[in-house]
Amino acid sequence: MTKVSLILPTKNVEDNIEDLLSSVYHQDFSGEIETIILDSSNDKTPEIAKRFLVEFIRVEEDNYNYGGTRNYGAQVASGKYLIFLSADVVIKDPQWLTNLLTPFKDPMVAGVFGRQHPKKDATPMEEFFIQHFYPTKNYIRETDDRGNIQLTDLMFFSNTNSAIRKDIWEEIKLPEMLMSEDHEWAKRVVLSGYKIAYTSESVVYHSHNYTLKQVFRRFFDTGATLSYVYRHKRIEYPKAIFIIKGLKYLKAECQYLVKHGKVKHLPYAMLYEFIRFLGYFLGTNQKYMPLWLKTMLCNKKNHWKKYNDIIVDNDIIVD
């Protein structure tokens, strides 16, 4: 019988945690599910979560790190597969877990990430973003005949809805980063000869309705980290392609809004995308900024209280 370990970082999700855990334990899955919650809440999340059979670990907010906290959960996990979820997702159906694990039939697949659908209250911009980057077609990412990665798009991996082989994690752990630890991990395992799979059959509902300030700060962090992820001699993703794809994305978003009768959102969408791009662009240049400035501009401010760079473990990058 297959055992999996759900690694679930939580913070103030009292409105969702009961439904989420109930959905997990009502999966059509013949194996055993171990749930490890790493909690930084100051609401009723711990009280609700402890109604279920979970291992509960308190993580102080200042100590939370996207990669580091998940690594801590993975370290105490005993399952063959590590399942990562964001605590604000809604699981679509009882086949979610089985579908997420199916690509592991290929022994070279190290990690799998599933599809996301926008929630019903998602803004048109977030709705388009989710649908654009999480397509209906499955795919495998691996190196080409020359040992390089040819990226067709920015979406690489997402720990919002993912599974990783525990033995591969023991070999290549999640890096401790400001953000995008899932992208960086995927890059490292693919460059090490493994595969990453995307499955559209494993679905969760997930989206955020960001304000302009929030989207700026989030994409400042994204720009800071993704520019690091893709700065590698074996990744073929020229800056010119990035710019072209950005313009195509904006055009497709405008067409989407018109097609779905949301023309009135066009002016705000243009402003929203400009703010998103500005945050991303400034983030890619964070290394030229003084610490006080990037702390002011970024989303995850407590990262800079401890670290002087976006990533902690520079010494283990695959060259």
Side-chain angles (χ1 to χ4, degrees):
M1 182 172 66
T2 302
K3 182 178 182 179
V4 302
S5 297
L6 172 62
I7 314 297
L8 188 63
T10 57
K11 180 183 177 183
N12 299 338
V13 286
E14 62 182 10
D15 293 336
N16 192 62
I17 189 65
E18 184 170 8
D19 288 342
L20 176 58
L21 290 175
S22 179
S23 295
V24 168
Y25 285 108
H26 285 86
Q27 287 291 299
D28 289 340
F29 178 66
S30 59
E32 179 184 352
I33 301 175
E34 170 189 55
T35 300
I36 300 168
I37 291 182
L38 304 118
D39 184 73
S40 305
S41 300
N42 53 26
D43 66 357
K44 294 182 179 179
T45 298
E47 176 185 332
I48 298 170
K50 289 176 182 178
R51 297 173 189 167
F52 295 83
L53 186 61
V54 301
E55 181 171 351
F56 194 89
I57 300 172
R58 176 68 186 178
V59 178
E60 296 304 323
E61 185 175 357
D62 284 348
N63 294 328
Y64 177 82
N65 176 275
Y66 289 110
T69 300
R70 287 177 171 84
N71 281 337
Y72 184 76
Q75 184 177 348
V76 301
S78 58
K80 180 179 180 180
Y81 300 104
L82 306 174
I83 311 299
F84 295 108
L85 275 179
S86 292
D88 58 344
V89 305
V90 175
I91 294 174
K92 184 186 177 192
D93 55 53
Q95 287 74 46
W96 157 75
L97 182 55
T98 297
N99 290 336
L100 186 64
L101 297 175
T102 297
F104 287 120
K105 291 178 180 178
D106 181 344
M108 293 307 295
V109 170
V112 181
F113 69 108
R115 192 178 183 194
Q116 297 180 37
H117 280 324
K119 294 182 178 180
K120 290 182 179 180
D121 65 344
T123 65
M125 292 77 69
E126 184 74 356
E127 188 177 273
F128 175 75
F129 179 87
I130 295 291
Q131 293 181 7
H132 179 81
F133 284 111
Y134 293 90
T136 58
K137 184 179 180 180
N138 299 343
Y139 63 83
I140 295 288
R141 182 148 288 144
E142 58 186 319
T143 55
D144 60 20
D145 293 339
R146 296 175 296 163
N148 295 335
I149 302 175
Q150 293 187 6
L151 293 182
T152 57
D153 224 322
L154 281 177
M155 188 54 64
F156 201 13
F157 199 73
S158 175
N159 278 336
T160 294
N161 177 25
S162 70
I164 291 174
R165 291 186 190 273
K166 175 70 180 289
D167 58 346
I168 301 297
W169 173 84
E170 290 172 343
E171 178 185 344
I172 305 174
K173 293 179 173 57
L174 295 167
E176 296 188 27
M177 297 176 65
L178 170 65
M179 197 176 177
S180 306
E181 86 296 337
D182 38 13
H183 292 63
E184 175 66 14
W185 179 84
K187 178 188 80 175
R188 294 180 183 188
V189 298
V190 171
L191 291 177
S192 296
Y194 300 105
K195 301 176 184 178
I196 293 295
Y198 167 73
T199 175
S200 62
E201 283 80 29
S202 178
V203 181
V204 298
Y205 292 95
H206 181 253
S207 53
H208 294 284
N209 294 334
Y210 297 120
T211 64
L212 292 178
K213 179 185 289 188
Q214 288 171 331
V215 78
F216 174 87
R217 287 180 171 174
R218 181 170 181 82
F219 277 84
F220 179 91
D221 291 358
T222 300
T225 50
L226 285 188
S227 60
Y228 174 90
V229 172
Y230 298 128
R231 192 184 301 123
H232 194 284
K233 63 185 179 182
R234 289 171 61 192
I235 295 181
E236 298 184 358
Y237 197 79
K239 288 185 177 180
I241 293 180
F242 171 77
I243 295 173
I244 292 171
K245 284 187 175 292
L247 293 173
K248 286 183 176 179
Y249 175 89
L250 182 59
K251 178 182 177 181
E253 182 178 14
C254 292
Q255 292 173 335
Y256 174 86
L257 294 177
V258 172
K259 180 180 178 181
H260 290 82
K262 301 178 180 180
V263 178
K264 67 179 183 179
H265 293 279
L266 278 171
Y268 186 76
M270 298 295 288
L271 175 61
Y272 187 90
E273 295 306 336
F274 171 75
I275 295 297
R276 191 206 300 264
F277 172 80
L278 180 62
Y280 189 94
F281 173 77
L282 292 176
T284 62
N285 292 282
Q286 61 80 26
K287 64 181 179 179
Y288 304 112
M289 298 178 182
L291 181 60
W292 67 265
L293 179 58
K294 53 191 175 186
T295 301
M296 182 180 70
L297 296 178
C298 79
N299 183 54
K300 195 171 184 300
K301 300 182 182 302
N302 66 327
H303 175 88
W304 299 105
K305 295 178 182 178
K306 295 186 176 184
Y307 311 121
N308 294 320
D309 201 355
I310 61 168
I311 188 166
V312 180
D313 54 351
N314 288 305
D315 58 324
I316 64 169
I317 300 173
V318 181
D319 290 323

